[in-house]
Amino acid sequence: MGAPATTTCPLPIEELEWCFWDKLSKPYNKANVSRFATYKGSTDKGELMKPIEEEEVTKAIKGVDEKSAPGPDGMTLSDIQDIHDEDDTLIPRLFSLWLKSAMIPDSLKKSRTVLIPKCEDQERLKDIDNWRPITTGPMLLCLFTKIMAKRLSETVWINPRQKGFLAATPGCNENIAILENIIKGAKKNRKDHTVVFVDLAKAFNSVGHKLIVKALQRMKLPPDFITMVTDLYTGNTTVVEGNKTKTVEIKIERGSSKGPTFAKPI
């Protein structure tokens, strides 16, 4: 299998605009968490909203792939590393200001989306569903959300059955090992077993922003933190890069990116 003959989506830019407007710009307003069990985990003891420390920024920078593409502002990880090396208090003070004000600058709410082919068949590539959208935001915001997601995961109680989106947790390996043992046990004891695999289609694209906020409220997290997260998900846009051109800015009213976000620990 070789690389696709084209890495540029051939669909008209008007079709891309309509498609992504339909996917991203229609708010998902259902936010009923009444059926969830009562949250009985620990609550924040001031760790979430304390000033960002230099060490947290250093660890966040080291945790990002050096080859990560920059956002629309053009700032690379190397640029941020240079700033941090010159003055390791500057970025922590900036992030702490965002925390204190519970607001994210509007200039950092712009992202770009590139389309990656899922297959090599040129006919199938005429279907938008055979292109994987990868959205990249500003690197500074990526680092900030990475730090806050880590703080959140250390603050709230996470069900031990959850294996995804947890640092240093080989979730796939653990689940495969469990499944293998179940199958071996069934064969050895000559018992029938039924295995059901459930995959939520486009789960990241369909996450409602109101549901994220409701989940945070359910965990009794600080109001200022919830206000900051609400602001983080407000006023975001992306530009889809298509056939040698770009769409207009498309509002993001639903969905959660696959990078570090607050949706994953909850």
Side-chain angles (χ1 to χ4, degrees), residues 23 35 85 112 151 189-190 203 218 259 265:
K23 290 176 182 290
R35 295 185 179 181
D85 288 342
R112 66 188 186 97
R151 283 188 175 188
N189 298 307
R190 297 184 178 182
R218 169 178 168 268

Side-chain angles (χ1 to χ4, degrees), residues 31-33 36 39 41-44 48-49 148-149 151-153 155-158 207-233 256 261-266:
N32 185 3
V33 295
F36 286 69
Y39 178 70
S42 59
T43 55
D44 176 54
L48 273 176
M49 300 300 288
M148 295 309 299
R151 283 188 175 188
L152 182 60
S153 66
T155 298
V156 301
W157 177 80
I158 298 177
V207 175
H209 295 170
K210 288 186 177 180
L211 183 61
I212 294 175
V213 173
K214 282 287 186 181
L216 296 174
Q217 292 171 341
R218 169 178 168 268
M219 294 175 176
K220 299 180 175 60
L221 293 173
D224 286 348
F225 177 79
I226 296 175
T227 298
M228 187 267 294
V229 174
T230 302
D231 183 78
L232 176 67
Y233 281 104
S256 173
T261 71
F262 303 105
K264 294 175 180 178
I266 57 177

Side-chain angles (χ1 to χ4, degrees), residues 8-29:
T8 302
C9 183
L11 297 175
I13 202 67
E14 295 80 10
E15 185 173 343
L16 290 180
E17 285 181 2
W18 181 88
C19 174
F20 281 91
W21 175 86
D22 188 59
K23 290 176 182 290
L24 301 176
S25 297
K26 293 182 178 179
Y28 184 80
N29 292 320

Side-chain angles (χ1 to χ4, degrees), residues 79-96:
D79 295 330
I80 294 176
Q81 181 69 71
D82 290 343
I83 294 171
H84 193 55
D85 288 342
E86 184 174 340
D87 182 354
D88 64 1
T89 68
L90 183 59
I91 295 176
R93 284 189 283 120
L94 176 64
F95 287 175
S96 297

